[in-house]
Amino acid sequence: DQQVKQNSPSLSVQEGRISILNCDYTNSMFDYFLWYKKYPAEGPTFLISISSIKDKNEDGRFTVFLNKSAKHLSLHIVPSQPGDSAVYFCAGSGGGATNKLIFGTGTLLAVQP
Amino acid sequence: GAVVSQHPSRVICKSGTSVKIECRSLDFQATTMFWYRQFPKKSLMLMATSNEGSKATYEQGVEKDKFLINHASLTLSTLTVTSAHPEDSSFYICSFAPASTNEKLFFGSGTQLSVL
């Protein structure tokens, strides 16, 4: 049972444009969602999170949107930079941001110069 | 920022041997830790949750006798893969939940285990 899904395994965008990464979930008990960035053979690096009581959280170039009725969240990166190229995982948690995370399958973002 | 040190980064071993992976938080204390593993081109799958001083809770399908977790202190946890087999080859990652903040988990840099 895949509780968190990222249906796009890869995404390619031009430098300076907006990157939109999508994530769907099935578990209604999730109360926190987080996005992590990961390079091969490295641990995930935290990017941004959102509580289920909010619908938007912004941090610099990164904005996360949450649509609870649709059980959908998205990460917007604008403007995209070549250094953003990595695998992005969304994750859901049922007990706050520091409880166990259920990760999606990841989306490989490639930002073309 | 918070740092989690994980060693070794890469290990190659023969089938049947045991491998210990160490994870240490360098500048914070954590009562709860998580161990994940990632197979190639797959997601990070939670293996177990451990709280300092108590036995780990394993996810369904994860053999507790094969993957021994010792949460020795608020800054140290180890994962021992006992009698490793080629199917155990994977990328193992630890994660700490800091006691001082509830904003996010901090992850180690991972250990690539290859069992021949």
Side-chain angles (χ1 to χ4, degrees):
Chain A
D1 176 30
Q2 190 69 38
Q3 298 182 52
V4 181
K5 298 179 183 179
Q6 293 174 258
N7 292 318
S8 298
S10 63
L11 174 68
S12 181
V13 299
Q14 287 295 121
E15 181 179 5
R17 298 291 186 101
I18 183 171
S19 295
I20 300 176
L21 296 100
N22 294 303
C23 182
D24 297 294
Y25 63 96
T26 59
N27 190 337
S28 300
M29 300 304 293
F30 286 150
D31 62 353
Y32 237 96
F33 301 90
L34 302 91
W35 284 92
Y36 280 82
K37 177 181 178 180
K38 186 180 182 299
Y39 296 108
E42 293 185 11
T45 302
F46 172 78
L47 277 177
I48 192 169
S49 65
I50 187 167
S51 164
S52 61
I53 63 174
K54 296 185 176 181
D55 55 19
K56 177 183 176 181
N57 188 26
E58 189 173 355
D59 184 1
R61 296 186 298 115
F62 302 93
T63 303
V64 56
F65 295 92
L66 175 62
N67 182 337
K68 283 188 67 178
S69 61
K71 291 190 172 65
H72 177 84
L73 64 154
S74 61
L75 173 67
H76 292 210
I77 305 173
V78 57
S80 301
Q81 300 173 353
D84 295 329
S85 298
V87 177
Y88 289 78
F89 289 95
C90 68
S93 171
T98 54
N99 203 346
K100 64 181 184 181
L101 301 180
I102 306 300
F103 284 88
T105 47
T107 296
L108 174 61
L109 174 65
V111 181
Q112 309 297 333
Chain B
V3 177
V4 175
S5 175
Q6 183 172 345
H7 295 282
S9 59
R10 175 180 292 273
V11 59
I12 301 173
C13 68
K14 292 182 178 180
S15 185
T17 60
S18 293
V19 175
K20 178 183 281 189
I21 301 170
E22 178 183 289
C23 219
R24 191 182 295 272
S25 60
L26 301 184
D27 53 1
F28 65 91
Q29 294 184 330
T31 55
T32 304
M33 275 208 62
F34 307 94
W35 284 94
Y36 288 84
R37 64 181 168 184
Q38 183 186 25
F39 293 105
K41 298 184 179 180
K42 298 292 184 181
S43 185
L44 289 82
M45 301 299 295
L46 179 67
M47 297 176 67
T49 303
S50 74
N51 292 295
E52 187 260 344
S54 61
K55 290 184 178 180
T57 301
Y58 290 80
E59 295 298 304
Q60 191 174 11
V62 179
E63 300 175 57
K64 63 178 182 179
D65 295 330
K66 183 170 188 60
F67 299 99
L68 302 180
I69 293 172
N70 182 10
H71 195 157
S73 72
L74 293 175
T75 60
L76 175 64
S77 179
T78 60
L79 168 67
T80 301
V81 183
T82 62
S83 187
H85 290 285
E87 58 266 30
D88 299 323
S89 299
S90 184
F91 190 64
Y92 293 86
I93 312 172
C94 64
S95 176
F96 281 88
S100 58
T101 177
N102 60 355
E103 292 183 347
K104 56 193 174 186
L105 298 180
F106 293 93
F107 286 82
S109 52
T111 298
Q112 182 64 53
L113 171 63
S114 299
V115 184
L116 304 178

